[in-house]
Amino acid sequence: MNASRIRAVRRTSVIGGIAAGGVLLLAGPAFAHVSVQPGTAEKGGYSTISVKVPNEKDNASTVKVELNLDPKHPLASVMPQAVPGWDVKVEKTKLDKPLQMHGKTIDEAVSKVTWSGGKIDPGQFQQFPLSVGQLPTDTDELVFKALQTYSDDDVVRWIDPSTPGGAEPEHPAPKLKLVDKGADAKSAGHQDGKDAKAAAADDKAEAAGGSDTTARVLGVVGIVVGVLGVAFGVLAGRRRTSA
């Protein structure tokens, strides 16, 4: 093999490697996090929240969701709303320090809620509503830890803590921000409005996620095929010239 042909083969290998790397980089799904909606509630009150679970994979469905409640701030009342097609299991844990609520002593609280038996297909999301209370007054947020199990047995652990002012972790734990009753009603309402707009944008992105990912993959594959075709043509031309 002469020097010209060796250089052509090397260029073809490099171009192919770069193109293949582009496929791996761009073919990933449009990521969205497991979150609690709305993201804000009043301290000391009751609230209905939803655990929003988007399916991030193109080739597997979400088949189980586990939500672990904040052990530092137990809630006396946690009631899940029925979700069609899904079974729900509520687990309780004995409290080291009993709670006083409406003149009664509460010595156990819900520590975990699990939804299973249903399916969230690629490009879709599901909301799992919960009625929770009485919300604590001695903290500004409740942190939940969620586990998302896929049909291919992959488990995504949404448990990473978030640092104020720091970079967002890869799998942040869902949080519920708690505000003082009445004092921050206006700002909380404004924030809820922004959260609603952001949630609507997320919904659009999630709904388009699967088709958008497929389009990107097909586009990049087309580029790779074209680049390899050009490289093959250059190599063939050099072969003819050498001959």
Side-chain angles (χ1 to χ4, degrees):
M1 183 180 291
N2 60 33
S4 298
R5 184 176 300 178
I6 291 173
R7 285 196 298 271
V9 170
R10 285 178 178 172
R11 279 198 297 270
T12 302
S13 300
V14 171
I15 293 171
I18 294 173
V23 171
L24 294 176
L25 180 63
L26 298 178
F31 290 106
H33 303 324
V34 171
S35 61
V36 171
Q37 304 289 338
T40 304
E42 286 189 349
K43 295 179 179 179
Y46 289 78
S47 183
T48 298
I49 61 175
S50 290
V51 183
K52 183 179 178 182
V53 183
N55 192 90
E56 293 188 333
K57 290 194 171 187
D58 290 333
N59 57 355
S61 300
T62 297
V63 295
K64 184 167 73 171
V65 177
E66 302 167 74
L67 185 73
N68 294 279
L69 279 70
D70 193 334
K72 296 180 181 178
H73 304 284
L75 301 175
S77 175
V78 177
M79 294 187 295
Q81 179 178 322
V83 178
W86 291 83
D87 300 320
V88 61
K89 179 182 178 182
V90 177
E91 300 178 36
K92 295 184 177 182
T93 300
K94 286 284 185 180
L95 299 176
D96 295 332
K97 183 180 179 181
L99 300 174
Q100 296 297 323
M101 181 177 175
H102 303 310
K104 295 182 180 180
T105 300
I106 309 296
D107 60 0
E108 64 177 11
V110 173
S111 56
K112 183 178 180 179
V113 183
T114 302
W115 293 269
S116 61
K119 184 172 65 171
I120 308 174
D121 290 324
Q124 298 182 2
F125 73 93
Q126 178 66 57
Q127 296 196 44
F128 301 94
L130 290 171
S131 174
V132 296
Q134 187 172 357
L135 296 174
T137 57
D138 59 349
T139 183
D140 293 329
E141 66 179 17
L142 288 178
V143 179
F144 305 91
K145 293 184 177 181
L147 274 65
Q148 181 178 12
T149 301
Y150 284 91
S151 55
D152 60 1
D153 294 328
D154 184 24
V155 179
V156 180
R157 302 169 63 84
W158 300 93
I159 63 173
D160 297 340
S162 300
T163 304
E168 185 178 55
E170 184 178 2
H171 298 106
K175 293 192 299 184
L176 176 64
K177 181 182 178 182
L178 301 177
V179 298
D180 292 332
K181 186 176 181 180
D184 293 331
K186 184 175 181 180
S187 59
H190 178 65
Q191 181 63 41
D192 286 346
K194 292 200 297 183
D195 289 345
K197 290 180 181 178
D202 285 346
D203 293 349
K204 253 186 207 179
E206 287 156 12
S211 59
D212 181 61
T213 299
T214 302
R216 289 203 307 273
V217 172
L218 292 177
V220 174
V221 169
I223 292 172
V224 172
V225 172
V227 169
L228 292 179
V230 171
F232 179 77
V234 170
L235 179 58
R238 290 189 175 276
R239 283 179 178 173
R240 287 195 298 270
T241 301
S242 298

